[in-house]
Every structure is written in structure tokens, then in C-alpha cells.
Amino acid sequence: MVESRLRVRVGSDALQELIEELAGRLQRSVVVDDPLVRLICSSQHFGDADPVRIRSLLQGRADDEIIRYVLDQGVARWPKPDFIEGRDDLGLLTRYCIPLRERGELLGLLMVVAPEKDLSREEIDTVARAVPAITAQLRADQLAADAEDGDLQETLLSLFGTSEKARAAARQQILDGDALPDAPHAVVNVVQVARSSSEPPGQVEIALRGALEPFLRTRWAVGAMAVTPDSAVLLQVSARPPAPQELRDQGTAIREALAAYLDASAAPVIGIGGIADGMADAWVSHGQAVVAARAARRLPHLKGVGAWESLGELAVLLQMPDHALNPSLLPRPLSLLLESTGGQRLEETLTCFLDHAGSIPRTAEALQIHRTSLYYRLRQIQEITGLDLDNGGDRLVLHLGLRMRALLAAETASTTA
């Protein structure tokens, strides 16, 4: 298994010593969290442990509500230390928070429990003197974790590329490095985030890593990930094919984690590819996941998680370039129908008729109208469109046009919501 740098979930012995030394001088609890408010290391406590600290020690991270509360204070953008106000309803005591930065990059958060905001000038100076050594050690720990990653990210992206030769070489490199086993099943998830100016530089990438890390090893799969500033790819391989519900639940969990780490404007979407025959065909699943992510972005009813296997005919339409997905694609006969008197009623009738494979009894039942009325409407549709509803090609033109119209309508609703 490959560990990413954010998996420095337990600080090194050297970092732990620095934290214990600072806590001893202050006689206060001291904690170092990563930029996602996940515990890296913690000192002994001095009778000032609160429920948040206890849960963090047990779980390795705070609850999502706490994470969101801390990040909403803007700590990732703080230019200098300040207090995070306590919240009785969250079980949180006030903390003195120092962003740990190197060359502008946020490495972590140093927290000193101070329920009464009663840090003296001498205590604040003590903290300030300790910060450079703690920051340097934190960076050293992260660089050590980075070194373990090696070139896996670049190799993983090559695995999804267009060159068959490069894909084969990437697969062999992954297997030779024991990054992933040669399992019979593979599935790719693509995660995309709308980059927001409200997030500080690097925060989106950190959040993506944090959201995906729990899924590098699950009860059914092992995985590896590649992360860019506003997107990520998760490849999972397994001995058995994952159930569709397992993949949907995983996608929902990833999205919920990102909601805790990022502002709502990030609007993350997850695309789940189909199950491929091992790593050699993972590039196919990757391409499908990209299409599924487009569906998740365009169709509100998917709630941010799209799965290739459930897209149906939309999978074909969504592979068209974004600039081509516009009303000009609607077939002229369908446009004539929509513009006609009673167009909405006839559109509903046509949709129901085609969705029921041209069955008169089932269409009439679904519309709750008499068959005579249905025949009359179908004749109107044929007269207006000039198409023959008994002709398979004509039906296909109209059915795809209706699907395109629904897709465009969903996108419009999404952008105006």
C-alpha cells in the first residue's frame, strides 16, 4: 500500500518530543493537527481535556461538525495566531491556534488548550519560540512520507493514458513496486472540485487527499490515488467485483468528507467508472468515470455522485464536447412538436409512448387516458413532426432528442438553482 503525505497521522518521535516539551513548559495540553484538523500528535493533558480532544484521540480526527467549525473560522488563511472560540454545544474548549507554515504553505495547526483565553505574554512568547522547530520537524516528517510515494502518481496517470505501450509499462511498474496486487477486478473513481477563490492555495488538494485516504484500503479493495489541485483519481482493485451499492455508498462518503473539509462553493462531484477486467483495462473504467462525473455535475437528481452503469443512453450523449451540448442539437421534428399548440401535452405523450417501447395498452394506462385519445395524439405527433412512429429510425431520433432535452433542462435547473 502506498501512503500519501497526509497520512502522517501519528507524528514522529522527534515531533512528539517537541510537543511534550512545549506542553510541559506551559502546563497546558498541546496538539498538532494537519490542515484538515486531523490529529498528528498530542501531548499529555493537564486536566483540560474536553470531549472533542477525547474523541480525536480515539478516532484520530475530530467529528465533521468540529472540522467544519474550525475551518469556517478561516484558520487556513490566518496570517498570525489567534483564538478559536469554544462551543459548549460541541464540547469544545477555547484553543489558541497557530498556523504552521513554510513559504506560505500551510503544514498544520498547533493548538494550545486555553479555556479562559488566559495565556500570558510569557506563555505566548514560549509558544512563538517553539514554532520554528515544530514547523521544521513537521515538514521533515511530510517530506519523508512524500519520499515513500515515489513516482506512483505519475505512473498511475500513465495507466489511464492513450498509449497502450505506456499503459502496459505503468501496470508493470505498479506490480513490480508492490503498490497494488494483480487483482481480477478494477474500478476507477474520478473526483472533481470547482476551484473556489475562497479556499487558500493548496487546501483543495489537501482535502482531496484526505477524503480519499480512507478508501485506499477497504474490506473489499485496495487502492492508489493521484491528486491534482482540483481533481483526483482513485483506482481500486479487488478479488471480487464490488456491488453497485458499495460503490455508491463510497462515492457519497467521499463527497461528505469533502463537504466537511471545503466550503460549499467547491461543489464536489464523483464519477464512478464501470468494473474493468483488472488493472490492464483500468483505463476504460477511468474514461467511464470521467463521463459519470460530467453527469453528476449536470444532473441534480444524482446528488453529486454519478455511476457509469446507471447512465444508460445518457452515457453516449455525455461524451459529446461541452460546447456541443446545447439546444441546437435537438432534432428539427422535435423542435416543431415543442413549438406547436399543445406541445407540452404531446411531448409528455411521446415520452411515455417511447419509454413504454411503443406499447399502446401500457402507454394509455400510464397516461390514464382512453386508447382512442392516445391514437389521436399520436396521429397529431406524426403530422407535426413528419415522422413515422412505426419506423425504428424515426423513433430513435425522437427518443434521443427527448433525452437531450431532459439533459439540457436539468443542466439549466442546476445552474439557476
Side-chain angles (χ1 to χ4, degrees):
M1 271 305 291
V2 175
E3 305 286 329
S4 79
R5 80 177 182 190
L6 282 186
R7 296 191 71 135
V8 186
R9 301 296 291 276
V10 178
S12 65
D13 291 343
L15 183 61
Q16 186 67 42
E17 288 177 10
L18 291 172
I19 296 306
E20 293 289 2
E21 181 181 353
L22 176 59
R25 289 178 180 176
L26 298 174
Q27 291 295 292
R28 296 176 184 270
S29 294
V30 177
V31 171
V32 174
D33 290 333
D34 72 9
L36 302 181
V37 199
R38 300 181 306 172
L39 181 65
I40 293 177
C41 65
S42 176
S43 73
Q44 62 176 306
H45 69 85
F46 296 85
D48 51 5
D50 57 14
V52 168
R53 182 171 184 204
I54 293 171
R55 289 197 300 272
S56 294
L57 288 170
L58 293 175
Q59 301 169 179
R61 54 163 281 173
D63 297 334
D64 286 352
E65 191 175 13
I66 295 294
I67 291 172
R68 192 66 256 159
Y69 172 69
V70 172
L71 294 178
D72 281 346
Q73 309 310 303
V75 294
R77 295 182 293 276
W78 281 4
K80 60 182 181 179
D82 204 344
F83 287 95
I84 296 175
E85 295 287 348
R87 285 269 303 269
D88 289 342
D89 59 321
L90 298 178
L92 177 73
L93 294 176
T94 297
R95 284 155 166 73
Y96 183 60
C97 176
I98 306 93
L100 302 175
R101 300 182 187 279
E102 183 184 78
R103 299 178 182 178
E105 179 186 353
L106 182 65
L107 306 181
L109 303 168
L110 177 65
M111 304 273 196
V112 179
V113 177
E116 306 301 325
K117 291 188 179 180
D118 55 353
L119 285 175
S120 67
R121 172 48 58 186
E122 181 181 356
E123 288 177 309
I124 290 175
D125 289 343
T126 297
V127 173
R129 287 193 298 271
V131 164
I134 292 172
T135 301
Q137 187 59 55
L138 184 58
R139 169 57 90 190
D141 290 353
Q142 290 184 347
L143 289 175
D146 278 345
E148 295 179 8
D149 283 347
D151 298 325
L152 179 63
Q153 174 152 316
E154 183 178 347
T155 303
L156 197 60
L157 294 176
S158 295
L159 188 68
F160 306 137
T162 57
S163 168
E164 183 177 353
K165 183 177 179 180
R167 291 199 303 266
R171 174 180 175 275
Q172 195 59 51
Q173 187 174 340
I174 290 171
L175 294 176
D176 290 345
D178 293 327
L180 291 174
D182 190 14
H185 305 287
V187 64
V188 174
N189 287 256
V190 168
V191 187
Q192 298 173 349
V193 173
R195 299 194 70 182
S196 168
S197 59
S198 65
E199 298 292 353
Q203 187 71 8
V204 170
E205 184 174 352
I206 291 170
L208 286 167
R209 290 182 180 277
L212 292 181
E213 280 169 358
F215 304 101
L216 295 178
R217 185 176 295 276
T218 71
R219 61 186 179 83
W220 57 269
V222 293
M225 64 178 170
V227 181
T228 69
D230 58 359
S231 65
V233 177
L234 171 66
L235 167 64
Q236 293 170 297
V237 297
S238 58
R240 66 166 178 84
Q245 190 60 50
E246 287 178 312
L247 292 173
R248 283 194 294 272
D249 289 346
Q250 176 177 274
T252 299
I254 292 170
R255 196 165 186 272
E256 289 174 350
L258 289 171
Y261 298 146
L262 299 173
D263 184 83
S265 62
V269 295
I270 318 296
I272 305 169
I275 301 170
D277 293 332
M279 220 185 302
D281 286 337
W283 66 277
V284 177
S285 182
H286 175 262
Q288 295 169 344
V290 171
V291 175
R294 291 185 73 194
R297 179 75 65 195
R298 287 174 171 270
L299 303 174
H301 74 273
L302 295 181
K303 299 181 179 179
V305 181
W308 169 267
E309 301 293 358
S310 64
L311 293 182
E313 71 283 353
L314 291 179
V316 176
L317 298 176
L318 286 165
Q319 292 185 64
M320 301 180 66
D322 281 330
H323 71 270
L325 283 173
N326 61 68
S328 69
L329 284 181
L330 294 181
R332 179 60 179 162
L334 181 60
S335 296
L336 291 173
L337 182 69
L338 299 175
E339 295 165 1
S340 68
T341 302
Q344 182 177 351
R345 175 173 58 85
L346 294 177
E347 178 191 2
E348 292 172 352
T349 300
L350 178 61
T351 300
C352 188
F353 175 73
L354 294 174
D355 285 347
H356 285 89
S359 169
I360 294 296
R362 288 190 293 147
T363 303
E365 181 180 359
L367 293 173
Q368 295 185 328
I369 61 176
H370 195 275
R371 293 187 190 184
T372 302
S373 298
L374 175 58
Y375 280 120
Y376 174 71
R377 292 186 189 180
L378 294 177
R379 283 196 299 272
Q380 282 185 295
I381 291 170
Q382 293 187 120
E383 290 172 1
I384 294 169
T385 63
L387 298 181
D388 182 0
L389 292 180
D390 289 329
N391 181 283
D394 287 354
R395 283 194 191 183
L396 181 59
V397 167
L398 291 170
H399 214 172
L400 281 176
L402 288 168
R403 288 292 188 265
M404 177 66 72
R405 174 172 163 77
L407 179 61
L408 294 172
E411 181 185 9
T412 300
S414 176
T415 55
T416 58

